[in-house]
Amino acid sequence: MAVAPKQSAEGNASKISRKRVILWVSIFLVVVFCLAPVLWQLLTSFKINDAISAVPNVYFPSFDQLTLNHYMAVFTGHPFARYMFNSAFVAFCATILCLATGAPAAYALARLRIPGHRIYVAGVLIVVLFPYVLLFLGLFEVVQAFGIGNNYLALIIPYTGRNLPLTILVMRSFFSQLPKDLEDSAKVDGYNTVQMLIRIVLPMTVPALVTTGILAFIFSWNEYIFALTFVTRETMKTLPVGIAQLGAQTVFEIPYGPIAAATIAGTIPLILLVLFFQRRIVQGLTAGAVKG
Amino acid sequence: MAKLELHNLQKQYNPKTIPIKDISLGVEDGEFLTFIGPSGCGKSTMLRLIAGLEEPTQGQVVINERTVNNIPPGDRNIAMVFQSYALYPHLTVAENISSPLKIRKTSKQEIQQRIQKVIHQLGLSESLLERKPGQLSGGQRQRVALARALVRDPEVFLLDEPLSNLDALLREQVRAELKQLFKSQNKPVVYVTHDQTEAMTLSSRIALLYEGVLQQLDTPYQIYSYPANSFVASFMGSPQMNLLTLNCQGNHAVLGNYEIALPELSSVPRQIILGIRPEDVRLAKPEDTQTVEGNVYLVEDLGKEKLLSVQVKNSEITIRGLLPADQTWDEENVTLALPARAIHWFDLESGDRIQAKSSQTSVSSERKSA
Amino acid sequence: MKPNTIRQREQLTGWLLALPALLLLLLVFAYPIGRAFWLSLFTRNLGTELQTVFNGLENYARMLGDGRFWSSLTHSTVFTAISISLELAIGTGIALTLNQAFRGRGLVRTVAILPWALPTAVMALAWAWIFNDQYGIVNDLLLRVGLIDQSITWLGDPVRAMLALVVADVWKTTPFIAVILLAGLQAIPEDLYEAHSIDGANPWQNFVKITLPLLAPQMVIAVLFRFAQAFGAFELILVMTGGGPAGATEMVSLYIYDTVMRYLDFGYGAALIVVTFLILIIAVAIASFLISKTRIDVTGER
């Protein structure tokens, strides 16, 4: 009598541990899958040229195979700091503008039941899918017409517009989750719609603003095709364009080390953002895609 | 001096959804009017129409002789307490209470004075002022919500089920405090609840709503003693009034083998509704003339009283009676007295109360003009 | 008309609040698309000295006989189809893994969305380096494992170049799908599995009978987003292969860009944009139809 249950308990235990093994193997695979290309680039960025071009590859460089020279080369030989500033400035301005125009619009669409809001939302839902390549021609003409080529505005305005649909969708879903009583109470207290938005509604949705802001910032920082097309002056280029053109100088030998160093240096701000705001990014992506 | 009037108020979302159908009434200074009714009867919509959070399809909301239909809620000089309290979670208690004053650019000194006065009135401790609503207990939140309403010194108070989120013990205590508080304010108060005890204890008048129609507007006593129709009769009072549909024969209504005398009527209908509250039903004494005999099939012990369900002999009809807990009776069969004075008669078709000519003098129901 | 009622005033304010965003949306989306429609009816290239000359539907006629357009369309379709299938499979795996409870889950989730957050153009360089003919880690690993005898060329070979692009794209965008699917998984109530297990179902049956059907709406949404992105994929291809070798990986987006920016053929470029736009709109229509279908199915089953 006592034997049988014990056996099945052991059977259970081995089943559970087998499940755990499968789980940890998949976790390991996920981590390797996601990190390997970045780690390889990180390793390359610190290796001396001989180690970079060694066959077979050097996975564990010795101490004298390591160097910081590639980073020095990137920051001294190219206006790398300038690229970084350009990217940061453009992305920051676009994010702020996007929130400043997108949040009120999202609120109006979520709560004020304006005539035509269905069409507005449907339009936003469709354009959120549009790839950049459909837009660059028309925008290129606009940029030329306004004479703002090689001007930060040539990127800030398109980025703001490009990120508006997602911002509106995410913020709208947050606004419609707010308890309505609070706004009714504010109305009775004497707030008009704008005062209510600024003093009551937006302070309560700061987390949502941060979420959408981070998404807009990442998209703007990473954007390539507009930055490549609308800006040609070296000192106005953004980071992705600046780094990509390092690799395009194929006439001579490709500078693998500096490219790797530039990649790492240029992605550190994003890595930090992801580290600190993982939860918010996930929340924003989900709200934008699923709730819309 | 303030007065709230509603003139032929109607709210229609679409031809099938009409939460409010033509309601007119007035509330004076110091009056405490309660809207009560089953859920979906339009009572909350009523309050939102008065506040201006929704706009009437027809009719006027008049405050102090001024039609406020097109005046936004904030400029109507009304204060509203919400069921959820609706405290701003990102503001401190002090900021919450002062928010209606600040938005009107009241001077800092005056805001300070008024806050002090109101928290004193409500027994809110000063140490709470710097806390956020999330750090307060349910009872404290409720008080802060009241404070935010009182601090404005508005012309009309609107309260939407302000007690329903409190636990039962606290609710009874706060109910008593509310009554005193608003007595001292001497302003029109409009209150919404689904709890008839609250309605009875707090109100100077009760407005009973059902399907967007005002069923009766009267003092708690009148509503209880002279319900205007069978719906009001069944809604107010617990346990529910017995409502029996009986055939009429000559001057009598027939209940099993028994005959119940009808009031003097101009014409006797074929059928009629007899209503009698369980607390008016008692065991028959020898001198009682109007009695029915029946079989006790269920006894519910309420502690203070016993609720008997009795099936009337030779009929399908059940009568429930509330008897003192110490009273005893023959286990199987009882004879119940149905005192003529306690009987309410209602028209079967319309449900309206049928006024016995003899007792008409004591009734002054402000029936709606249908 | 002067607004009188509270509602009218509120709506007026609402429109004023929604207006700046609307203007920006019109400028950034409506104008370029409308402009492309208009310009597609004209010839404007070096041949006309960049003057705009009306030609009716000539651009579209030219497209029919344009082998480069059709092959770019084929490449885009192949790339999109293979990428999305792999992403859906791997993304589901990642989502299922991340949905389990384990120590350090937050950190693993952070790692898992990292590829999505990094700039595509920059990571395309990293992937070009990984698939490098001489020093690439892919060749090195394959040599060590013994699958190949000598280094092979990746980005210089038509098929392998496409494969490399797919791998890079899968790496970059699977996290997005995983995040969407994870949200879907978290919304499935645990008691459904418990009830099903009590009925004697094994984990695989659970997955097929419960997880997949309930996850269907999220999958359709994720695929729709990815379809639009993959069909418009640009910088990955430009930076990794430049459309080469010999146009073997040239996709619609790259062809559009070259037509406009390199050959300065604005009219024809606009026509290409219009066609791509229409393909996208059709895809959106199909997807929204599917979404409404799956939603009904899911609720119908309960």
Side-chain angles (χ1 to χ4, degrees):
Chain A
M1 277 270 294
V3 180
K6 203 182 162 195
Q7 254 177 354
S8 82
E10 267 173 11
N12 262 343
S14 78
K15 204 174 171 188
I16 285 167
S17 72
R18 206 176 71 201
K19 248 177 122 177
R20 289 314 273 183
V21 169
I22 295 174
L23 176 63
W24 282 105
V25 168
S26 12
I27 292 166
F28 175 76
L29 287 177
V30 169
V31 171
V32 169
F33 173 80
C34 295
L35 279 189
V38 181
L39 290 177
W40 182 237
Q41 206 68 338
L42 183 69
L43 187 64
T44 307
S45 74
F46 285 114
K47 288 199 290 194
I48 60 169
N49 281 330
D50 285 345
I52 289 177
S53 56
V55 178
N57 288 352
V58 178
Y59 291 99
F60 302 100
S62 63
F63 191 74
D64 56 356
Q65 283 175 311
L66 292 175
T67 176
L68 284 173
N69 282 348
H70 302 314
Y71 286 91
M72 312 276 259
V74 165
F75 277 97
T76 53
H78 307 267
F80 195 79
R82 180 77 198 201
Y83 297 157
M84 222 157 178
F85 168 80
N86 291 343
S87 278
F89 181 77
V90 167
F92 182 77
C93 291
T95 304
I96 296 299
L97 254 179
C98 195
L99 292 179
T101 55
Y107 183 73
L109 293 174
R111 283 287 211 244
L112 302 180
R113 278 183 289 161
I114 51 178
H117 76 282
R118 274 172 214 280
I119 299 169
Y120 198 137
V121 172
V124 167
L125 273 173
I126 291 175
V127 298
V128 77
L129 294 167
F130 281 13
Y132 290 80
V133 74
L134 297 184
L135 311 173
F136 85 94
L137 171 56
L139 286 175
F140 184 57
E141 288 188 333
V142 172
V143 166
Q144 282 182 325
F146 282 95
I148 51 169
N150 284 325
N151 184 315
Y152 287 124
L153 280 178
L155 296 182
I156 291 173
I157 292 171
Y159 290 176
T160 305
R162 188 62 193 79
N163 286 311
L164 266 175
L166 190 67
T167 305
I168 290 175
L169 291 180
V170 175
M171 288 307 296
R172 193 177 78 107
S173 102
F174 276 101
F175 284 137
S176 41
Q177 285 163 21
L178 283 181
K180 235 181 169 177
D181 274 3
L182 288 167
E183 287 150 71
D184 287 341
S185 173
K187 283 183 201 166
V188 174
D189 277 356
Y191 291 81
N192 65 37
T193 308
V194 175
Q195 288 169 325
M196 178 167 77
L197 183 64
I198 293 172
R199 298 213 209 154
I200 304 294
V201 175
L202 287 180
M204 288 193 301
T205 40
V206 166
L209 290 170
V210 173
T211 298
T212 42
I214 289 166
L215 292 184
F217 187 87
I218 291 178
F219 285 127
S220 304
W221 179 282
N222 290 349
E223 202 284 328
Y224 184 74
I225 186 167
F226 291 172
L228 178 71
T229 316
F230 305 158
V231 166
T232 46
R233 194 182 298 156
E234 189 64 22
T235 54
M236 299 296 292
K237 283 180 177 163
T238 60
L239 208 59
V241 176
I243 294 176
Q245 77 184 10
L246 282 180
Q249 297 159 349
T250 44
V251 188
F252 308 105
E253 185 165 347
I254 299 173
Y256 296 114
I259 289 177
T263 308
I264 297 302
T267 51
I268 279 177
L270 295 170
I271 293 175
L272 291 179
L273 271 183
V274 172
L275 273 180
F276 286 119
F277 296 108
Q278 177 258 126
R279 239 166 243 274
R280 299 216 169 286
I281 293 172
V282 168
Q283 196 185 14
L285 282 179
T286 327
V290 181
K291 304 259 169 61
Chain B
M1 268 301 289
K3 184 174 185 191
L4 166 73
E5 294 160 89
L6 310 179
H7 296 306
N8 302 96
L9 212 55
Q10 194 205 358
K11 177 70 184 175
Q12 177 171 349
Y13 291 118
N14 57 53
K16 279 188 185 159
T17 322
I18 310 175
I20 302 288
K21 298 170 191 152
D22 192 39
I23 286 181
S24 302
L25 54 82
V27 193
E28 310 260 354
D29 268 344
E31 247 198 297
F32 197 119
L33 178 87
T34 300
F35 281 105
I36 190 170
S39 58
C41 70
K43 55 190 193 292
S44 284
T45 311
M46 251 348 277
L47 215 53
R48 296 175 59 81
L49 286 172
I50 300 172
L53 296 170
E54 307 216 11
E55 289 179 82
T57 316
Q58 272 170 36
Q60 280 104 39
V61 178
V62 178
I63 298 175
N64 276 347
E65 328 257 281
R66 181 175 68 140
T67 303
V68 294
N69 278 28
N70 290 335
I71 295 176
D75 298 337
R76 292 187 179 192
N77 206 9
I78 42 155
M80 184 160 172
V81 177
F82 291 82
Q83 185 175 7
S84 65
Y85 311 142
L87 300 178
Y88 311 126
H90 60 294
L91 300 181
T92 63
V93 168
E95 288 168 332
N96 260 290
I97 298 176
S98 61
S99 92
L101 300 180
K102 268 190 198 148
I103 204 80
R104 288 181 177 70
K105 306 215 160 59
T106 314
S107 75
K108 273 202 175 130
Q109 280 168 312
E110 195 182 341
I111 291 181
Q112 273 309 315
Q113 284 172 359
R114 290 225 220 165
I115 290 184
Q116 286 305 324
K117 189 179 151 207
V118 79
I119 63 171
H120 189 75
Q121 248 178 330
L122 288 169
L124 274 167
S125 125
E126 195 141 342
S127 62
L128 296 179
L129 283 179
E130 292 314 308
R131 293 208 198 152
K132 295 274 173 72
Q135 299 162 301
L136 303 181
S137 71
Q140 287 168 333
R141 272 182 233 177
Q142 200 261 354
R143 268 156 218 265
V144 174
L146 272 177
R148 188 171 60 184
L150 290 170
V151 80
R152 289 178 55 177
D153 200 10
E155 308 221 30
V156 178
F157 286 98
L158 306 176
L159 297 98
D160 189 2
E161 308 213 18
L163 302 182
S164 64
N165 282 337
L166 300 177
D167 58 55
L169 270 179
L170 194 55
R171 198 179 307 164
E172 208 161 304
Q173 182 200 333
V174 178
R175 200 172 68 204
E177 290 173 7
L178 268 186
K179 183 154 192 173
Q180 287 185 308
L181 191 66
F182 284 108
K183 200 171 248 172
S184 69
Q185 293 294 317
N186 198 32
K187 290 281 165 59
V189 178
V190 181
Y191 190 96
V192 160
T193 184
H194 63 270
D195 180 317
Q196 47 170 301
T197 320
E198 273 174 37
M200 287 292 188
T201 51
L202 286 169
S203 321
S204 50
R205 280 192 302 162
I206 292 176
L208 203 149
L209 280 179
Y210 180 57
E211 290 185 336
V213 175
L214 190 55
Q215 304 292 324
Q216 189 168 6
L217 174 63
D218 237 324
T219 61
Y221 172 80
Q222 288 287 342
I223 290 232
Y224 180 82
S225 312
Y226 302 99
N229 57 39
S230 59
F231 177 79
V232 176
S234 69
F235 190 80
M236 298 300 278
S238 171
Q240 244 184 10
M241 183 188 279
N242 294 296
L243 289 170
L244 319 174
T245 305
L246 304 178
N247 290 323
C248 296
Q249 229 168 52
N251 254 353
H252 295 92
V254 182
L255 171 54
N257 293 346
Y258 305 92
E259 292 187 331
I260 316 279
L262 286 174
E264 290 175 42
L265 301 170
S266 41
S267 73
V268 176
R270 223 162 53 75
Q271 286 192 308
I272 197 163
I273 297 176
L274 177 155
I276 182 163
R277 296 199 181 275
E279 52 267 44
D280 292 331
V281 176
R282 50 183 172 76
L283 289 185
K285 294 175 198 149
E287 65 268 28
D288 283 319
T289 49
Q290 205 152 258
T291 61
V292 293
E293 207 183 335
N295 173 266
V296 180
Y297 70 89
L298 179 67
V299 179
E300 290 163 85
D301 198 333
L302 307 177
K304 190 175 71 164
E305 288 141 332
K306 285 185 180 126
L307 183 60
L308 267 62
S309 298
V310 177
Q311 184 167 10
V312 177
K313 240 185 186 173
N314 296 323
S315 82
E316 298 285 295
I317 290 170
T318 296
I319 295 181
R320 299 200 300 166
L322 206 56
L323 301 185
D326 53 0
Q327 198 157 25
T328 54
W329 62 92
D330 175 9
E331 287 297 332
E332 282 290 307
N333 291 302
V334 288
T335 307
L336 298 173
L338 310 177
R341 295 192 42 169
I343 291 179
H344 309 261
W345 297 101
F346 301 102
D347 184 81
L348 182 69
E349 297 289 310
S350 64
D352 285 347
R353 180 179 191 83
I354 296 171
Q355 215 51 258
K357 280 173 186 164
S358 52
S359 62
Q360 216 159 25
T361 44
S362 63
V363 180
S364 66
S365 85
E366 266 184 58
R367 274 304 315 278
K368 44 129 194 173
S369 50
Chain C
M1 199 174 76
K2 200 167 167 280
N4 280 321
T5 65
I6 302 170
R7 175 80 186 264
Q8 281 169 338
R9 273 185 299 238
E10 191 180 83
Q11 287 180 337
L12 183 72
T13 318
W15 263 111
L16 291 178
L17 290 175
L19 196 62
L22 183 65
L23 291 178
L24 274 164
L25 288 171
L26 290 176
L27 176 71
V28 173
F29 291 98
Y31 174 76
I33 297 293
R35 178 72 186 159
F37 269 93
W38 177 248
L39 210 54
S40 73
L41 304 176
F42 294 86
T43 306
R44 183 172 147 203
N45 54 25
L46 294 176
T48 64
E49 292 178 330
L50 295 184
Q51 294 306 303
T52 313
V53 178
F54 183 77
N55 70 7
L57 296 174
E58 215 171 89
N59 284 326
Y60 295 97
R62 175 177 156 197
M63 210 179 294
L64 291 175
D66 182 1
R68 196 165 158 193
F69 165 68
W70 289 108
S71 70
S72 73
L73 198 59
T74 315
H75 298 151
S76 279
T77 310
V78 169
F79 172 77
T80 305
I82 300 179
S83 296
I84 293 183
S85 318
L86 287 175
E87 283 160 17
L88 207 51
I90 301 175
T92 309
I94 293 180
L96 285 173
T97 307
L98 294 183
N99 197 31
Q100 306 294 318
F102 58 86
R103 209 183 249 269
R105 182 165 68 167
L107 197 64
V108 177
R109 281 188 185 175
T110 307
V111 167
I113 57 166
L114 196 61
W116 167 85
L118 300 183
T120 309
V122 174
M123 289 318 291
L125 281 176
W127 279 101
W129 172 231
I130 285 168
F131 282 108
N132 185 285
D133 300 346
Q134 291 168 282
Y135 319 118
I137 186 175
V138 172
N139 272 340
D140 187 72
L141 290 176
L142 291 177
L143 279 170
R144 281 176 201 251
V145 180
L147 284 175
I148 53 175
D149 299 331
Q150 57 183 62
S151 289
I152 55 172
T153 164
W154 282 92
L155 301 181
D157 175 271
V159 176
R160 286 198 286 260
M162 181 64 92
L163 190 66
L165 285 176
V166 167
V167 169
D169 190 64
V170 166
W171 176 80
K172 180 75 178 69
T173 53
T174 301
F176 173 78
I177 293 201
V179 164
I180 304 293
L181 295 186
L182 182 59
L185 282 179
Q186 285 166 337
I188 300 177
E190 191 62 30
D191 49 1
L192 279 183
Y193 292 108
E194 280 161 12
H196 204 229
S197 298
I198 290 168
D199 293 346
N202 63 34
W204 173 250
Q205 287 168 326
N206 269 339
F207 178 73
V208 174
K209 294 273 175 189
I210 299 175
T211 312
L212 275 187
L214 289 180
L215 217 49
Q218 271 81 13
M219 286 191 166
V220 178
I221 290 166
V223 166
L224 177 63
F225 266 80
R226 284 295 308 131
F227 173 81
Q229 287 164 4
F231 215 78
F234 176 75
E235 54 251 62
L236 183 75
I237 298 133
L238 180 71
V239 174
M240 263 182 90
T241 67
T249 58
E250 184 175 73
M251 315 216 176
V252 174
S253 54
L254 213 59
Y255 185 40
I256 293 174
Y257 194 79
D258 277 351
T259 306
V260 174
M261 297 310 290
R262 202 196 281 181
Y263 313 128
L264 301 180
D265 197 344
F266 291 92
Y268 191 52
L272 291 172
I273 289 176
V274 167
V275 168
T276 315
F277 167 79
L278 292 178
I279 292 174
L280 263 175
I281 291 295
I282 291 168
V284 172
I286 294 174
S288 9
F289 175 72
L290 283 178
I291 291 171
S292 63
K293 261 253 160 63
T294 50
R295 286 213 173 127
I296 290 165
D297 280 350
V298 168
T299 46
E301 263 181 19
R302 281 188 186 164

